[in-house]
Amino acid sequence: MTGLAEYHERGLLDEPTAALADAHRLMRQAQQAVDYHREHLRRLLFDEPVVDTTVADRIDRSIGHLRRAAATRDTHRDALLAALSELQSAGRARPDTNGAPDLSAPDTAALLAIARGAKLHENLLTQRLSVITASGTRIAYSALQRLESAGLVARDASRPRRVPLALTEAGRAALTGTRRTNAPGSPPAGRAGAWPAPATRAHR
């Protein structure tokens, strides 16, 4: 599946969506830095056999690195929320000429995460369903149901477990701000995992 980042690299996104893609990328990088410094601090606190002044100094420096990384992450988080709000405002201001749904900021964020790759998991013991994205983010099943009802996301029904999720044409259009139209006489684009429509027989 073509991810949103590829659309961005090819210059297919409008300005609000491109800003959202940039903010999401910076947020992920900042969160990775926080995770790195947190793990480094954990090792200093629990894996060092002896805590002397040298180790204590390293702990102090690690705490400083973690504090700065967290502050940077918070800054990018605020920028991401602002980009989501900007995209939502742009969607409301844009005339709805193609029937595209007006997504909330959380649903837009969920759609963005699914665009980068996601699977639907079912717990064998509890039978509870959950969505796990390629970045490890969990999406509420209720959010997936809303996106499916809007025709923006489809699941590969041929897979009994860890079902891959994919954006439909409408889902990609909701993120890129464009909607592809079918050429005259061409069949509509099928949903992921759906059987192809039977060919129409010519009448004699």
Side-chain angles (χ1 to χ4, degrees):
M1 182 186 66
T2 304
L4 189 64
E6 183 176 341
Y7 285 110
H8 191 13
E9 292 174 358
R10 293 164 58 187
L12 299 178
L13 302 183
D14 57 15
E15 185 175 349
T17 311
L20 177 64
D22 287 332
H24 186 267
R25 174 179 55 81
L26 293 174
M27 172 65 183
R28 286 196 308 114
Q29 293 175 349
Q31 183 59 53
Q32 289 171 355
V34 170
D35 294 340
Y36 170 80
H37 291 298
R38 183 171 57 186
E39 176 62 19
H40 182 65
L41 179 60
R42 187 197 67 77
R43 291 178 179 177
L44 289 175
L45 291 173
F46 298 105
D47 294 349
E48 288 290 339
V50 177
V51 177
D52 53 16
T53 55
T54 301
V55 174
D57 290 341
R58 292 171 60 190
I59 290 175
D60 288 339
R61 288 195 298 270
S62 183
I63 292 174
H65 291 320
L66 180 59
R67 181 180 293 110
R68 288 189 291 273
T72 300
R73 187 271 317 276
D74 292 347
T75 298
H76 288 305
R77 179 196 58 199
D78 293 341
L80 176 60
L81 293 176
L84 281 170
S85 178
E86 181 70 20
L87 181 63
Q88 188 176 11
S89 298
R92 285 196 297 265
R94 187 185 300 118
D96 187 10
T97 58
N98 52 23
D102 186 13
L103 294 177
S104 65
D107 283 349
T108 302
L111 194 64
L112 175 64
I114 293 174
R116 308 181 74 91
K119 291 184 178 181
L120 178 63
H121 292 248
E122 181 179 0
N123 188 292
L124 293 178
L125 296 178
T126 64
Q127 281 75 51
R128 294 186 62 181
L129 298 173
S130 61
V131 178
I132 309 295
T133 68
S135 61
T137 303
R138 290 183 178 270
I139 298 175
Y141 183 64
S142 58
L144 173 63
Q145 289 178 308
R146 287 194 302 272
L147 296 176
E148 284 185 310
S149 297
L152 304 179
V153 175
R155 65 181 76 181
D156 185 355
S158 65
R159 300 283 294 274
R161 295 179 57 195
R162 297 186 177 182
V163 180
L165 301 174
L167 265 62
T168 62
E169 287 291 332
R172 288 189 287 271
L175 289 180
T176 60
T178 59
R179 183 179 293 274
R180 297 179 182 177
T181 56
N182 295 315
S186 63
R191 290 166 56 97
W195 288 101
T200 304
R201 294 182 179 179
H203 295 283
R204 294 182 179 180

